[in-house]
Amino acid sequence: MAPIVQSSQPWVEKYRPKQVKDVAHQDEVVRVLTNTLETGSCPHMLFYGPPGTGKTTTALAIAHQLFGPELYKSRVLELNASDDRGINVVRTKIKDFAAVAVSTNQRKSGYPCPPYKIIVLDEADSMTEDAQNALRRTMETHSKVTRFFFICNYISRIIEPLASRCAKFRFKPLSEEIMSSRILYICREEGLNLDSEALSTLSSISQGDLRRAITYLQSAARLFGSSISSKDLISVSGVIPTEVVQAFLATCKSGNFDSANKEVNDFIAEGYPVSQFLTQLFEAIVEADDISDEQKARISKKLGEADKCLVDGADEYLQLLDVASNTIRACCNMPEGFSFDG
Amino acid sequence: MLWVDKYRPKTLDQITVHEDVAQNLKKLVTEQDCPHLLFYGPPGAGKKTLIMALLRQMFGNSAEKVKVENRTWKVDAGSRSIDIELTTLASANHIEMSPSDAGFQDRYVVQEIIKEMAKNRPIDTKGKKGFKVLLLNEVDKLSREAQHSLRRTMEKYSAYCRLILCCNSSSRVIEAIRSRCLNVRINAPNEEQIVRALDFISKKEDLQLPSGFAARIAEKSNRNLRRAILSLETCRVQQYPFSSKQTIPPMDWEEYISEIASDIMKEQSPKRLFQVRGKLYELLINCIPPEIILKRLLYELLKKLDAELKLEVCHWAAYYEHRMRLGQKAIFHLEAFVAKFMSVYKAFLIATFG
């Protein structure tokens, strides 16, 4: 591949920790893996947790540290959701790779090089159940020469037999301090100017997802130059300004359908993403003081339904209007069932 | 040439409605550091105009010499090979296509074309290896699989080609893609901006635009600039010089739907339902998308209803539109909505008037 110009490389890649000990905030995993580095013994692993907490980074870092650049290609197989991972691939590619024996004494250039290979299955929760089932036996028969690293967001989508064969590690969402210190480090390296308000905005809009925070930071830096304000960050992140959400809520509370309809129309014309809006509306409603618990429950129920419909591809305008009408009904304490639904 | 095309801004500097966005884009291009871009916003807001101006800024005039090509891809999908036909619009430096036209096979098209583009990279004047731009329309209509396969491809080939994605709602684009792109929200121009654009055009065309007339067109256009310009041109053909009281002709399908709405309001019976079905079929045959029909019908009905009923009716509209997405035949769900409305309305009438 042609060399990539330095500037066009995403910062997420540029600042990805290269060593296990640099991975922030995940102490348990780091402790176990440093132990692995010393002794060379390693179980099958299952990393799970929300996006942007360092799962892939950790897996790649340990693989690199174990084998070094020379052996990496022959010892590590990386597969993620964009590669075809149907049952055929499990039966052929993974099995073939897993079955190959490796020589034991290849201790070269200071890397531990333990006598096994590593297969990293990124985004394993998007594998079909059949494909996962096909892996079960493969994992056991070749356990002498192969270790599996599964990486996923939702552990519930990994079938139980696979999960029970692995050492499980949960990756916690990053705390605000750790995120800020990492962001500030990047800002220093890139010569950016970030005030404390922008910093706190950044950590709140990225919700513990470091990758997202860095991506926003880079987009903002590209668009607005080296000094970034919190407004710039909000505009690149696609987060909806709080005023808009509050105005919508206030209109719904007033109980006037026509003005709510107009609000919805304007909202769609502004081009804001509705799914994002539902998340923010939910937060606003949970925090609101002048809505009773029962009303909150009713509105939240509707928000859930609307979100599902949006995922199914339903029309944004109609769904938002439905949410608005339901919020009005809840706020005005109208009965839950429809009065004319014959 | 339609005025819409004639007065489309050609360069980023000429753009008036989203000036700040245009200036930011210009900065991106001049720094030679262009990330993948995702434009989203309602129709008629100026997404395409901005993109074309951006391409021109990147590649100069050559971006405008496009040729239309109807291409066939042979794709090897497991046991058999499939042929996929798709129309592309290509210049030396960019390719534009709507992969969602390929239906559920869109995944292959996306992968194949990006790989192909990566193979023959253009070389720019300084002998450096340049990049191509792949412009994908309607990414929100792309299937989930296609979007997932796009995410890795985007990273792998980022040195060879830049993607510009364009869609109406970013809710339907998966998070993984959104987070890999620079997201640009294009809001619809407000009425004031539309009036200014109409004024500008009429000055260029040497027309006398009575005050208030442009404002009325803008109001009717529903913040859609393209529609506003089209209706200005229609009015010009219809009657010139303009009088300030001149009616702005509504779209004929809109009139038709408003007819349906009053039909429904007048009588609620199986017989009327049957008549409405015929009219709905008529609209569908004329290629009006079903969700637009439903939305317009709701709009017309809401104008005539009591506040109490409005809340109920818009719930059912959302409900049936969702079912329409999941289902196969739009007509069933449109008709179900009409029938539901009739039953609700009838119950309301009986409760109110006995």
Side-chain angles (χ1 to χ4, degrees), chain B residues 170-322:
Chain B
S170 74
S171 300
R172 257 175 271 174
V173 180
I174 58 169
E175 173 63 36
I177 289 187
R178 269 185 282 156
S179 74
R180 281 172 177 79
C181 297
L182 183 57
N183 294 2
V184 187
R185 178 172 64 87
I186 309 293
N187 58 349
N190 58 28
E191 286 176 16
E192 205 179 309
Q193 284 167 322
I194 293 182
V195 169
R196 235 177 308 161
L198 293 180
D199 272 339
F200 171 79
I201 289 177
S202 36
K203 230 174 247 145
K204 288 267 176 185
E205 286 285 320
D206 240 350
L207 299 179
Q208 290 296 325
L209 200 61
S211 65
F213 187 60
R216 277 204 304 142
I217 293 182
E219 197 193 322
K220 280 259 163 136
S221 70
N222 215 353
R223 294 182 72 179
N224 184 335
L225 186 56
R226 175 171 40 217
R227 210 178 144 181
I229 297 174
L230 283 174
S231 36
L232 179 70
E233 197 168 358
T234 324
C235 290
R236 161 81 175 81
V237 176
Q238 211 171 43
Q239 183 190 351
Y240 187 77
F242 296 128
S243 69
S244 56
K245 288 201 191 70
Q246 186 176 353
T247 51
I248 298 154
M251 305 271 196
D252 44 2
W253 61 271
E254 286 181 351
E255 223 164 355
Y256 202 69
I257 291 178
S258 107
E259 236 171 74
I260 296 179
S262 47
D263 280 354
I264 300 173
M265 297 294 288
K266 263 185 226 137
E267 189 187 326
Q268 297 84 36
S269 66
K271 191 170 149 243
R272 185 48 62 95
L273 187 60
F274 182 70
Q275 286 168 0
V276 169
R277 177 196 295 168
K279 292 193 170 175
L280 289 176
Y281 261 127
E282 183 80 5
L283 283 167
L284 286 173
I285 288 166
N286 282 305
C287 290
I288 312 283
E291 64 270 13
I292 305 249
I293 299 178
L294 189 65
K295 270 204 273 193
R296 188 73 199 178
L297 191 57
L298 177 71
Y299 171 80
E300 295 289 346
L301 290 173
L302 284 181
K303 281 202 286 199
K304 303 173 181 178
L305 289 179
D306 283 10
E308 198 183 350
L309 266 184
K310 281 180 186 170
L311 298 173
E312 201 165 325
V313 168
C314 71
H315 166 76
W316 291 116
Y319 177 80
Y320 285 110
E321 199 273 339
H322 175 224

Side-chain angles (χ1 to χ4, degrees), chain A residues 1-5 7-10 13 16 78 80-84 123 126 209 211-212 215-216 218-225 235-239 241 255 257-258 261 265-276 302 305 308-322 324-326 328-329 334 337-342, chain B residues 21 24-25 27-28 31-36 40-42 45 107 111 121 129 144 148-153 155-156 158-160 162 168-172 175 178-183 185-189 222-223 291 294-295 298-299 302 307-319 321-322 325-326 340 343-345 347-349 351-352:
Chain A
M1 213 164 100
I4 301 168
V5 191
S7 64
S8 71
Q9 194 186 10
E13 297 295 329
R16 201 187 270 281
E78 226 190 296
N80 61 30
S82 58
D83 304 308
D84 195 13
E123 293 143 30
S126 66
D209 181 344
R211 176 173 50 205
R212 216 189 308 176
T215 315
Y216 290 158
Q218 188 176 17
S219 317
R222 273 170 168 163
L223 273 183
F224 302 104
S235 79
V236 292
S237 66
V239 172
F257 178 80
D258 287 327
N261 190 3
N265 265 319
D266 283 347
F267 183 88
I268 299 292
E270 284 297 317
Y272 292 118
V274 173
S275 55
Q276 170 70 30
K302 186 68 226 170
E305 282 168 16
K308 155 81 175 123
C309 293
L310 283 179
V311 170
D312 287 340
D315 187 80
E316 293 194 313
Y317 167 76
L318 290 173
Q319 289 302 328
L320 193 56
L321 197 62
D322 191 18
S325 87
N326 251 281
I328 292 176
R329 290 163 57 87
M334 290 185 206
F338 291 113
S339 28
F340 304 110
D341 186 10
Chain B
V21 179
N24 281 333
L25 287 176
K27 210 157 44 178
L28 271 187
E31 279 168 12
Q32 289 292 314
D33 174 26
C34 184
H36 299 303
Y40 62 99
R107 175 160 67 115
Q111 278 173 349
R121 282 175 81 177
K129 281 190 172 175
R144 291 266 135 157
H148 275 293
S149 66
L150 200 59
R151 63 196 253 189
R152 188 68 195 145
T153 326
E155 284 175 352
K156 233 169 153 175
S158 67
Y160 313 110
R162 293 286 182 280
N168 282 140
S169 84
S170 74
S171 300
R172 257 175 271 174
E175 173 63 36
R178 269 185 282 156
S179 74
R180 281 172 177 79
C181 297
L182 183 57
N183 294 2
R185 178 172 64 87
I186 309 293
N187 58 349
N222 215 353
R223 294 182 72 179
E291 64 270 13
L294 189 65
K295 270 204 273 193
L298 177 71
Y299 171 80
L302 284 181
E308 198 183 350
L309 266 184
K310 281 180 186 170
L311 298 173
E312 201 165 325
V313 168
C314 71
H315 166 76
W316 291 116
Y319 177 80
E321 199 273 339
H322 175 224
R325 282 295 159 164
L326 299 179
K340 186 83 204 172
S343 115
V344 167
Y345 191 65
F348 167 75
L349 287 182
T352 328

Side-chain angles (χ1 to χ4, degrees), chain B residues 66-119:
Chain B
V66 289
K67 60 172 193 279
V68 182
E69 223 178 322
N70 217 340
R71 299 180 51 180
T72 318
W73 280 275
K74 267 204 189 340
V75 180
D76 184 32
S79 49
R80 69 218 153 84
S81 74
I82 352 172
D83 286 338
I84 303 171
E85 253 183 66
L86 209 61
T87 314
T88 59
L89 208 63
S91 78
N93 296 305
H94 86 279
I95 298 180
E96 179 187 340
M97 60 197 297
S98 312
S100 55
D101 291 350
F104 63 97
Q105 285 152 343
D106 48 3
R107 175 160 67 115
Y108 305 114
V109 176
V110 171
Q111 278 173 349
E112 285 297 311
I113 189 146
I114 293 180
K115 275 181 199 154
E116 185 182 302
M117 280 171 74
K119 261 184 236 152

